[in-house]
Amino acid sequence: MTFEPVGNHSDASRANLHLLHGTLPHEVVCTENLTPFLKLLPCKGKAGISSLLNGHKLFDASWQSMAIDFRPVCSAGESECVVEMEQTVDMVLDIERSKRPRDNPIPRPVPREELVCDTSKEYSSEDTCYPLDVSYGQSWSLSEVFGRPIKGTCLVEALEGPDSQSVCLNVPADRDVYTSHGVTEFKDTSGFSRCFILPTNDDFELMLPKQSVQTGSPIHPPPLYAERSITGHGQERGGVQTLLTNPSPDTSVEFVYLESLPWFMKPYLHTLKVLLPGDGKQSPSIIKDIYYRPSVDRHRGTQLEIRMVVPAASTVTLTYDFEKAILRYTEYPPDANRGFDVAPAVIRLISSTSNTTSDSMYLRTTSLLLPLPTPDFSMPYNVIILTSTVMALAFGSIFNLLVRRFVGADEVEGYDIRRLRALIRGRLVIIKDRLLGARNEKKIQ
């Protein structure tokens, strides 16, 4: 229910399609993923907007994601079909952090004279300052944020006019924007967006000076808020709680909720509950359909899909209990006490006006950290040390008994017992004389 084919597929091809869905919640996007990502582009990241994808800047962002989507696109008569590929990179940047020079990355306090204080606070004085949020309206440029300008254009086909716009900026109309020479600008009729036609061979620089803007860009609230967490305590059982909030005051939202759980996290389907905060009772009418596929130990995880409808201006609480499995000691990672990552839930919003998958919107919750029963890995080490010590003592004793030869003293060649006795007596006499001499000296004194 969550994932469906996108693009032009014939009825014959749909019958032979198979859906493969996998997750690696502990793996993060890194430079080793950016390099092959750029190689798929026509200019390999050397020109166009992809020239801003510097690994140091991209992975230093507060949040980033990369995606590649493939879909078949056919002409009107379906005589010619091509595969369309769409590459997406999302970044959330901190302007102050991104403008920090690489040779001096350590943040330092702002001087007192440069602080912008909120004088409306009661405790505001000469020695007390509550800083204002100056992130909106501050100055920045492409070279300061990304470390380089855009290196020309990289279009597959040469386009002219408004269709060749390749860089767009969502800022109010009264915001000052300066660009390099030879750039054509197109402003949107809404007054909150403007696009630019980049020069073919020249660098494109974009700079926004520091300015106090009174009009802000409109921010559209998301159609659904989702918050997921683990509940319970102990090493045997636990629970998952998901809060689903519909902010719309007059429209209900329908979606498909997908949970992909690892095999060592075994949910109890009979404990699945959907609660409304008003009455605190279960609301089975909210759930329209459920698809459940149980897990198989060490082969596949659990798949749980729920089709739900959340009423307008309501918050629905989805809860269920699960049991924690005990792993073999060889299946634990080196940092076993950290916990195991659980993949985020996938939410597919179903449009009320269109039934096509291309119009669907996908949301993902945060991943979870699941603590499992962890054995004391120092105990095998102690057992190995103790066992090795006992084996060494036993082996040494047995080896000496088997290898050494025991003979009488009189059988040793060159051994004289009388000479040895005389030597011992002589040593004893010398020690006795020394002791008596020391005692006599003390009496004389």
Side-chain angles (χ1 to χ4, degrees), residues 284-304:
S285 60
I286 295 178
I287 299 179
K288 301 299 181 182
D289 194 8
I290 295 179
Y291 174 80
Y292 174 73
R293 187 182 69 169
S295 63
V296 178
D297 288 354
R298 296 175 178 85
H299 286 84
R300 74 181 185 194
T302 302
Q303 180 181 351
L304 175 62

Side-chain angles (χ1 to χ4, degrees), residues 35-233:
T35 302
F37 184 87
L38 294 177
K39 289 183 178 179
L40 297 175
L41 297 173
C43 299
K44 313 299 182 184
K46 302 297 182 181
I49 195 172
S50 62
S51 61
L52 299 179
L53 296 180
N54 181 11
H56 295 283
K57 295 293 184 179
L58 174 61
F59 300 112
D60 191 50
S62 302
W63 185 87
Q64 72 276 344
S65 69
M66 300 168 58
I68 302 178
D69 296 319
F70 295 92
R71 64 179 65 88
V73 178
C74 302
S75 58
E78 296 188 358
S79 58
E80 297 180 359
C81 295
V82 296
V83 177
E84 182 184 79
M85 180 181 67
E86 180 180 353
Q87 297 179 245
T88 307
V89 177
D90 296 326
M91 302 171 58
V92 177
L93 294 173
D94 185 356
I95 299 298
E96 292 295 333
R97 180 183 177 91
S98 300
K99 291 169 60 176
R100 195 178 302 156
R102 291 184 57 187
D103 56 351
N104 190 14
I106 301 176
R108 288 175 172 79
V110 180
R112 176 68 178 84
E113 59 274 7
E114 296 181 8
L115 285 176
V116 181
C117 304
D118 187 1
T119 57
S120 62
K121 301 293 183 180
E122 298 179 357
Y123 49 80
S124 179
S125 61
E126 295 182 358
D127 57 349
T128 305
C129 175
Y130 184 84
L132 285 172
D133 185 11
V134 294
S135 59
Y136 189 74
Q138 61 180 320
S139 63
W140 61 272
S141 64
L142 293 180
S143 299
E144 291 177 336
V145 175
F146 296 98
R148 64 186 71 170
I150 297 179
K151 304 293 184 180
T153 59
C154 182
L155 298 178
V156 180
E157 298 179 357
L159 302 176
E160 296 181 356
D163 294 336
S164 62
Q165 302 167 4
S166 55
V167 175
C168 294
L169 188 66
N170 294 328
V171 293
D174 54 351
R175 186 73 163 93
D176 294 335
V177 178
Y178 300 101
T179 60
S180 53
H181 181 69
V183 177
T184 305
E185 178 182 352
F186 291 91
K187 290 187 177 181
D188 189 66
T189 55
S190 62
F192 295 101
S193 176
R194 61 187 75 182
C195 298
F196 306 93
I197 300 178
L198 304 187
T200 305
N201 300 319
D202 298 333
D203 294 346
F204 172 74
E205 180 61 83
L206 186 69
M207 184 180 67
L208 282 76
K210 185 176 181 180
Q211 181 181 1
S212 177
V213 181
Q214 302 297 330
T215 305
S217 300
I219 299 177
H220 303 285
L224 184 71
Y225 292 97
E227 180 182 354
R228 190 172 67 143
S229 60
I230 289 182
T231 60
H233 58 86

